Amino acid sequence: MRRIVFALVVLCVAFTSANAAYLNATLQDSRIQESNHIYKPGGIVGFALEGGFFNEPENIVDYTLGIGIRRFGYSHSNGDKSVSLWEIEFKPLTWSVTYWNVMLEFYLGIGYIFAESNVNEEMEKRFEGTDDRGSHGTIENIKETIAINYGYRLGYRITEQFMVSLVADYQKPGPGWHYAHDPTGHFFVGGLGVNFQWNMPW
């Protein structure tokens, strides 16, 4: 909980000190993006809410810094069960190129997974920082509740303040997270979606 509060404080300070800021929302398909042994795998509806700063829409090449909250995961058993993970996402490396109001963007980020639903017993133990040997130390606990994130965005600026984009976002949870029903493999999830961004008038 302290990490969540700290992240929100950093976000508030950044917004009040930055000279350009934005808000955006993403709605997308989220599913496992590699071969797996899950029974009848499928997707879930993933979404993200993000805020950031340092964006300058008039620049051809631009850098932004963002932080947000994201839901991602997958379904199995022909959609009867859905596994979802919630994370606070930090994007320290986001670069974009804009020409004639068309923008192409790439980002690399990290997420701290703070909640889950419908995970298997082993994933639950990892989330709580314990296993058959007992409790992990702090470093191991953090390693097993993070995700490495990356994605692309192709958008069109309808106005200087508003942009609509197609996105491809992907997440790879840390070493302690495994497929439901398959403790031998790590999973890599994500998918395509649509993003709406509003650049705050400053």
Side-chain angles (χ1 to χ4, degrees), residues 121-165:
E121 185 177 349
E122 182 175 354
M123 290 172 70
E124 181 73 32
K125 287 179 179 179
R126 296 291 185 173
F127 182 75
E128 293 174 350
T130 60
D131 61 11
D132 294 336
R133 297 166 297 171
S135 180
H136 290 304
T138 303
I139 293 177
E140 283 299 314
N141 201 4
I142 292 174
K143 280 171 60 180
E144 294 181 348
T145 54
I146 63 169
I148 302 300
N149 304 339
Y150 76 94
Y152 311 91
R153 188 163 59 142
L154 178 63
Y156 181 77
R157 297 190 189 278
I158 297 173
T159 69
E160 187 173 327
Q161 269 72 49
F162 186 66
M163 181 175 67
V164 178
S165 307

Side-chain angles (χ1 to χ4, degrees), residues 12 50 66 194:
C12 290
E50 179 185 334
V194 62

